[in-house]
Amino acid sequence: MIVVGQAGRVTEEERANAARIYDYMLGGAHNLGADREAARTLLASFPWLQRVAWENRAFLRRAVEFCVGEGVEQFLDLGSGVPTVGNVHEIAPGTRVAYVDIEPVAVQGARDLLAGVPDVTATRADLRRPADVLAAEGVAGLLDFGRPVAVLLVAALHFVAPDDDVATVLAAYRAALVPGSLLVVSHGSADQDDPEIAEAMRTITAVMAASETPAYSRSRAEITRLFADDPGLELLPPALVDVAAWPEPDDRRAPVGVYAAVARVV
Ligand SMILES: C[S@@+](CC[C@H](N)C(=O)[O-])C[C@H]1O[C@@H](n2cnc3c(N)ncnc32)[C@H](O)[C@@H]1O
C-alpha cells in the first residue's frame, strides 16, 4: 500500500509524503526511503508520472520567465515544494522570492539552500490561510505589495479540498495585489480529451485520495472559472491549456494532464 503522509517531524521511519515523492521524481536529494519506495511503486504503474513532474517544472520556468518579461520583480511561491532543481530565485536572479510550503522538509531544504542568498525567504505556512501567509515575516517583511507581485500556485491548488473553497482563497490573495501583478496556476485534472490521460489522472487521484495528502481533480470549466469569475483578473492567452502547451504548443511536448493558466490583476 502506498502511504503518503504529512507529519511534522521527519525520521527514516516517516511515511512517504507528496512533496518528497515529487522531489524524488525530479531527481532531488530531499527524500527518504519511504518516499523513494512510494515513488517507484507509482512509477511502475504510471511511468509517465515522471514526465508530468518534469513538464510541470518546465512550465514553472517558462511562466517565471514570462513574469520577468512583464516587469515583475517579486514572487510569492505558494506550495513551492522541495527546492530540487530550477527554483524561482535561480530562474529570476535579482528578484525577491518568498517561498511558502506546509511541508517541513520542503521548508528546511529551502532554508539550507538559501543560507546567505539575499532577498529570498522560506516560510512554513498553509496556503489555505491567506491572512496568515500574507502576514508572515518571510512574506510581509520581504515583498512590497505596493508593487506588482507574481503569485505562483504551481501544482499546489489540487491539494486544496472542495470544502476549503479555493475561489475564496484565491480572491484573498488577489485582493492583496496591485494591478500588473500576475497569478500563475497549474492544476492536475481528470477532465481530459485523451481517455488514457483521463483514466491515469483518475487513478492517481484515487491513490492520493486514500492517502494523508489527498489531491482533488477539478474539471476544466471549474479551473477556468477560478479566473473567469473574478472581474479583477484578466486571463492571458492562451487561456487554460495543458502545462506542456503553455504558452504555445510544441511538438516535442505531449500533454500530461495538468492544466496551466496565467492571469493579470487589472
Ligand atoms: C507537487 S508539489 C509542487 C511544487 C512546486 N510548486 C512545483 O510545481 O514544482 C506540491 C507542494 O504543495 C505543498 N502543499 C500542499 N498543500 C499545501 C498547503 N495547504 N499549504 C502550503 N503548501 C502546500 C506540498 O507540501 C508540496 O510541496
Side-chain angles (χ1 to χ4, degrees), residues 6 17-19 22 26 53 56-57 60 77-82 100-103 106 125-128 153-156 158-160 186:
Q6 197 166 64
N17 171 283
Y22 182 69
L26 288 174
N56 179 71
R57 201 70 180 167
L60 172 76
D77 188 358
L78 300 171
S80 48
V82 178
V100 174
D101 203 285
I102 201 168
E103 215 283 314
D126 185 340
L127 70 87
R128 294 167 299 181
L153 283 153
V154 180
H158 45 234
F159 294 108
V160 176
S186 74

Side-chain angles (χ1 to χ4, degrees), residues 33-266:
D35 306 308
R36 294 188 282 276
E37 195 184 319
R40 284 186 205 117
T41 306
L42 277 167
L43 287 170
S45 304
F46 313 106
W48 57 268
L49 248 185
Q50 191 125 31
R51 206 165 61 75
V52 176
W54 278 108
E55 284 296 354
N56 179 71
R57 201 70 180 167
F59 159 73
L60 172 76
R61 167 174 287 278
R62 295 193 297 276
V64 167
E65 289 169 348
F66 171 81
C67 294
V68 170
E70 293 292 296
V72 173
E73 296 174 336
Q74 308 185 92
F75 292 87
L76 175 56
D77 188 358
L78 300 171
S80 48
V82 178
T84 306
V85 285
N87 300 298
V88 176
H89 71 283
E90 295 159 342
I91 302 165
T95 61
R96 294 183 193 180
V97 183
Y99 292 110
V100 174
D101 203 285
I102 201 168
E103 215 283 314
V105 165
V107 177
Q108 191 52 53
R111 288 186 179 144
D112 293 346
L113 185 82
L114 298 174
V117 180
D119 294 331
V120 185
T121 61
T123 299
R124 187 176 176 209
D126 185 340
L127 70 87
R128 294 167 299 181
R129 299 177 177 276
D132 293 350
V133 169
L134 293 168
E137 175 55 26
V139 176
L142 177 71
L143 304 180
D144 173 3
F145 282 90
R147 295 192 297 123
V149 174
V151 174
L152 312 179
L153 283 153
V154 180
L157 283 183
H158 45 234
F159 294 108
V160 176
D163 286 353
D164 285 321
D165 191 358
V166 69
T168 302
V169 170
L170 274 187
Y173 288 112
R174 202 265 300 143
L177 302 175
V178 296
S181 296
L182 295 166
L183 181 62
V184 175
V185 168
S186 74
H187 194 304
S189 173
D191 182 7
Q192 301 289 332
D193 293 337
D194 183 328
E196 264 185 54
I197 297 178
E199 178 57 24
M201 293 307 277
R202 269 195 296 276
T203 308
I204 294 297
T205 306
V207 169
M208 297 299 287
S211 77
E212 287 180 24
T213 48
Y216 304 91
S217 172
R218 289 182 176 81
S219 71
R220 212 179 155 136
E222 283 174 310
I223 302 168
T224 303
R225 276 202 299 275
L226 294 176
F227 301 92
D229 283 357
D230 185 339
L233 289 177
E234 175 196 5
L235 188 52
L236 300 178
L240 192 76
V241 295
D242 194 275
V243 280
W246 194 96
E248 54 200 3
D250 185 325
D251 289 344
R252 291 164 300 179
R253 302 196 300 258
V256 291
V258 178
Y259 289 120
V262 176
R264 181 183 285 119
V265 175
V266 291

